[in-house]
Amino acid sequence: QVQLVESGGGLVQPGGSLRLSCEVSGRTRSGNAMGWFRQAPGKEREFVAAVNWAGTTYYRNSVEGRFTISRHNANYTVYLQMNNLKPEDTAVYYCATEYFGSQRATPSRNQQRWRNWGQGTQVTVSS
């Protein structure tokens, strides 16, 4: 069993910043990629950002340059720094972890390929 716990969500005005954190515990595995997805009301869950064990990062186009994903392998924690937030960033943000075959493998952007998920944290961007 792998447990993931997100924190750091909340209400912020457009242009503001938030930092999400996700701690992984349980039967963790060296080499896993970690990622962030989000789901807005009435929409499917979508890829936001991911980082492989080697530290290579990947982003969806709409957050590139505004969001930064980082990880601390020693304590199995991943962060998502979100700057210049927009109303369209409003969603429940989920942390996920999965092994894609090697430490340098490119993480999938398909949420169905990830098996371990947190419960999510709400991010609301509104004035």
Side-chain angles (χ1 to χ4, degrees), residues 22-36:
C22 174
E23 295 186 18
V24 184
S25 61
R27 299 186 66 178
T28 56
R29 175 175 180 171
S30 173
N32 272 27
M34 300 192 73
W36 289 95

Side-chain angles (χ1 to χ4, degrees), residues 8-20 82 85-87 89-91 93 121-127:
L11 172 64
V12 64
Q13 292 186 342
S17 298
L18 282 175
R19 188 191 194 212
L20 306 183
M82 305 185 294
L85 282 160
K86 303 177 181 181
D89 295 318
T90 296
Y93 282 71
T121 184
Q122 177 71 45
V123 172
T124 303
V125 185
S126 175
S127 56

Side-chain angles (χ1 to χ4, degrees), residues 8 27-28 41 56 61 65 77 90 99 102 107 115-118:
R27 299 186 66 178
T28 56
T56 304
N61 288 343
T77 303
T90 296
Y99 183 70
S102 75
R115 291 175 292 176
N116 303 293
W117 293 88

